[in-house]
Amino acid sequence: MSLKRGKREEETEYKKLLKYNLPSAVSAWAEKKYVWVQETDGAYSQAEILSETKDKVKVVTTAGNELEVKRDKIEPMNPPKFDGVEDCAELGHLNEPSVFHNLRKRYEADIIYTYSGLFLVAVNPYKRIPIYTPYFVDFFKGKRRNEVAPHVFAVSDFAYRLMLNERQNQSMLITGESGAGKTENTKKVIQYLAQIAGRVGGEGLLEQQLLEANPILESFGNAKTLKNDNSSRFGKFIRVQFNHSGQISGATIQSYLLEKSRVVFQAKGERNFHIFYQILAGASPEEKKLYHLDSPQSYKLFTGDCYTVSEMNDIEEFKHTKAAMTLMKSTNEELESTLRVVSAILRLSNIVFEKGYGDSATIQDKTHIDKVADLLRVNATTLENALVKPRIKAGTEVVTKQLDVEKANFNLEALEKALYGRLFLWISRRSTRLSLRRELLPSLVCSTLLVLKSSNSTALNSSASTTPTRDCSSSSTITCSSSSKRST
């Protein structure tokens, strides 16, 4: 009896969180009299037609404003029975205001996922909704897409089943503007695959490494922007490999297009990459002494004047980052070297150039140079000469060029960006090449799931779109993927 009661409660939770409940009572509706009209501010409003001529229509909006607009400037409106439909393709009138109205109705009910044909549109709720628990993983496992409510797990399962059934590579594209939820949805896809295709329910070492690779990349590649507290400032291509039985056998994550300019400049209210604040907040007294760390306000690297994020604990995140790197089999020496480079970049930003003899740049205060040299384990004099008197190859000869203050500052910023760019590239390669299980190699087939996350393209405002497809379509501007018979 208790088992049946628990199942009923779980089904109730599913309907409560993922199914839209249409109000039982709706106002009288005459389809020919209600339309969408675009007002001067660009927003669409519901309006009732008062009168019509051949070219113009006189309407009154829900706010009581009477407007006379051209007939081609209005859009037909769907009856209330279409409010909250799970697939926008089911709308009687498929136009821009009708799609946004449907998304808004579902969003107001805390239902963030909606299909639009082959695509899954996800609107960022900016709060935690409990729809990714183990119960929901089990609920979506093995079910057809049209049997369940729209969800990123449903799309992930659909792609996974296609891969197993057809023995062909499948792909997923997750795209949207900054803050749309690309990073979070990518993590949910990996979480789902680790649970349904991993050994012992996703608790194996490889599955844990796959899950923990994201926090490392987020620490070094994400930053707070004006629109998003955890914005990915790089692109990511994840390849997950499976064997004949459908179990995960390996994975690689390729990162690219890191926003290195953020290292030396952030707009007001924005932060640099998370790792800088994590090490300053979470380092132990011994580590602060070892890495010559001071308070965040003492570093010129932080031009955005923003040092904390309300819903982010940098101390705990630093612990998580170090634990994740240990799980990825980084040695203590590698971890220390990583933190030395991060600390050196912080200290480099405080170096000040002054005008010396003629227009030449000099460094009067050698304190920061000495600390950077200690962190990078290089000669302090050699480092200073590289900043103000770099050696340049001219033809077949190598000459020393004296820089002025402006060029020395450019040289310093270039060094900071180069150091961080190479550090990120090394971390990406070191932490995300998850080796194949050797005992499964003989049974590895050409069944690969690709997850591509774009940081620049746009799907819908404040939304992300996710879909698995098999055929490229020239009419698709959000995603295009293919099935290939090449072995992996």
Side-chain angles (χ1 to χ4, degrees):
M1 182 64 70
S2 59
L3 189 60
K4 291 183 179 180
R5 187 185 300 113
K7 187 174 182 180
R8 284 198 302 268
E9 289 176 355
E10 289 177 342
E11 291 177 352
T12 302
E13 194 73 6
Y14 162 75
K15 293 179 180 179
K16 176 184 175 182
L17 294 173
L18 294 177
K19 301 295 286 187
Y20 182 82
N21 294 318
L22 188 66
S24 56
V26 294
S27 59
W29 176 265
E31 184 178 357
K32 64 179 181 180
K33 289 189 176 182
Y34 289 91
V35 294
W36 293 108
V37 60
Q38 190 171 19
E39 301 196 55
T40 54
D41 61 355
Y44 286 96
S45 297
Q46 179 182 341
E48 181 182 357
I49 296 177
L50 298 178
S51 61
E52 302 179 64
T53 62
K54 183 179 180 180
D55 299 323
K56 293 187 177 181
V57 178
K58 187 176 182 180
V59 300
V60 56
T61 66
T62 52
N65 301 323
E66 289 191 10
L67 304 171
E68 189 175 55
V69 296
K70 293 182 178 180
R71 186 174 292 276
D72 60 356
K73 296 298 183 181
I74 63 174
E75 298 285 356
M77 188 174 179
N78 293 295
K81 68 178 183 179
F82 287 98
D83 287 352
V85 295
E86 294 183 344
D87 192 338
C88 290
E90 298 175 3
L91 294 172
H93 298 294
L94 190 59
N95 49 57
E96 183 177 342
S98 295
V99 170
F100 283 125
H101 174 71
N102 188 57
L103 292 175
R104 186 186 65 183
K105 282 291 186 180
R106 294 175 63 82
Y107 184 78
E108 289 173 349
D110 283 342
I111 303 175
I112 63 173
Y113 291 113
T114 308
Y115 286 126
S116 181
L118 290 175
F119 304 113
L120 175 68
V121 180
V123 185
N124 193 338
Y126 292 99
K127 63 180 179 181
R128 301 292 179 184
I129 301 178
I131 56 175
Y132 309 104
T133 60
Y135 160 72
F136 284 100
V137 172
D138 293 334
F139 184 89
F140 284 96
K141 184 177 180 180
K143 288 186 173 64
R144 295 183 180 180
R145 194 179 105 151
N146 59 359
E147 296 176 345
V148 291
H151 198 288
V152 67
F153 288 169
V155 179
S156 304
D157 193 83
F158 178 54
Y160 177 69
R161 302 301 164 185
L162 277 179
M163 180 193 66
L164 291 181
N165 294 335
E166 301 191 6
R167 295 300 192 212
Q168 289 185 339
N169 299 341
Q170 301 298 320
S171 64
M172 295 180 67
L173 175 68
I174 303 177
T175 181
E177 67 175 7
S178 179
K182 301 181 297 295
T183 299
E184 290 302 315
N185 278 284
T186 300
K187 290 192 288 189
K188 299 310 177 187
V189 171
I190 295 175
Q191 171 196 341
Y192 185 78
L193 292 176
Q195 289 292 323
I196 69 168
R199 289 187 168 183
V200 294
E203 297 298 327
L205 176 60
L206 181 57
E207 289 76 18
Q208 290 300 308
Q209 289 178 331
L210 183 58
L211 292 171
E212 291 299 329
N214 263 305
I216 299 174
L217 292 177
E218 285 185 23
S219 293
F220 289 87
N222 286 24
K224 178 191 181 301
T225 64
L226 295 178
K227 297 180 66 176
N228 186 0
D229 288 347
N230 189 33
S231 178
S232 297
R233 313 313 298 169
F234 65 101
K236 185 164 53 182
F237 184 87
I238 306 174
R239 185 189 304 267
V240 186
Q241 297 167 313
F242 302 83
N243 67 349
H244 268 296
S245 62
Q247 290 182 321
I248 295 176
S249 59
T252 58
I253 304 178
Q254 180 181 346
S255 302
Y256 54 93
L257 296 177
L258 177 70
E259 185 191 24
K260 291 187 289 186
S261 60
R262 179 167 292 273
V263 176
V264 297
F265 176 79
Q266 312 93 46
K268 293 297 180 183
E270 295 191 347
R271 295 211 313 177
N272 212 314
F273 294 104
H274 292 325
I275 187 61
F276 291 112
Y277 306 91
Q278 290 178 9
I279 189 174
L280 292 174
S284 65
E286 294 77 14
E287 289 175 325
K288 289 184 177 181
K289 183 178 180 180
L290 176 64
Y291 302 129
H292 305 293
L293 298 176
D294 297 323
S295 65
Q297 291 78 7
S298 65
Y299 294 103
K300 298 179 181 179
L301 196 70
F302 306 135
T303 62
D305 293 333
C306 179
Y307 305 101
T308 59
V309 178
S310 58
E311 296 185 3
M312 187 176 295
N313 189 326
D314 289 321
I315 298 176
E316 293 301 321
E317 291 295 333
F318 185 57
K319 293 178 181 178
H320 191 181
T321 299
K322 292 199 295 183
M325 293 184 70
T326 302
L327 182 65
M328 301 300 292
K329 298 184 178 179
S330 294
T331 64
N332 292 334
E333 183 180 359
E334 289 173 334
L335 178 59
E336 180 182 334
S337 297
T338 299
L339 299 181
R340 279 181 173 274
V341 174
V342 172
S343 303
I345 296 172
L346 285 169
R347 186 60 60 178
L348 277 170
S349 68
N350 286 351
I351 293 177
V352 177
F353 298 103
E354 298 178 359
K355 188 175 180 180
Y357 180 76
D359 291 331
S360 62
T362 61
I363 303 174
Q364 298 295 336
D365 185 1
K366 306 295 179 68
T367 304
H368 301 300
I369 279 285
D370 292 337
K371 291 182 178 180
V372 172
D374 177 63
L375 289 168
L376 297 180
R377 293 173 176 169
V378 297
N379 181 271
T381 303
T382 303
L383 176 61
E384 181 181 358
N385 290 336
L387 293 174
V388 297
K389 295 186 292 183
R391 301 177 65 194
I392 301 174
K393 187 174 183 180
T396 58
E397 297 182 359
V398 178
V399 298
T400 300
K401 182 179 181 180
Q402 178 69 54
L403 302 180
D404 58 25
V405 173
E406 182 182 12
K407 291 181 179 179
N409 281 314
F410 287 146
N411 192 30
L412 177 64
E413 291 183 354
L415 176 60
E416 293 168 359
K417 291 187 289 186
L419 276 174
Y420 196 82
R422 294 189 181 188
L423 174 65
F424 182 81
L425 184 61
W426 177 83
I427 288 174
S428 176
R429 290 175 176 175
R430 176 68 182 82
S431 301
T432 61
R433 300 185 72 87
L434 310 182
S435 60
L436 300 176
R437 289 194 178 98
R438 297 300 177 184
E439 71 273 13
L440 299 182
L441 271 174
S443 60
L444 183 64
V445 296
C446 56
S447 52
T448 304
L449 180 68
L450 309 178
V451 180
L452 175 64
K453 196 205 70 172
S454 168
S455 59
N456 297 318
S457 54
T458 301
L460 290 173
N461 288 340
S462 297
S463 64
S465 178
T466 310
T467 178
T469 61
R470 290 186 293 160
D471 300 314
C472 290
S473 171
S474 58
S475 63
S476 172
T477 58
I478 299 178
T479 183
C480 184
S481 60
S482 62
S483 297
S484 171
K485 292 187 177 181
R486 294 179 300 172
S487 59
T488 55

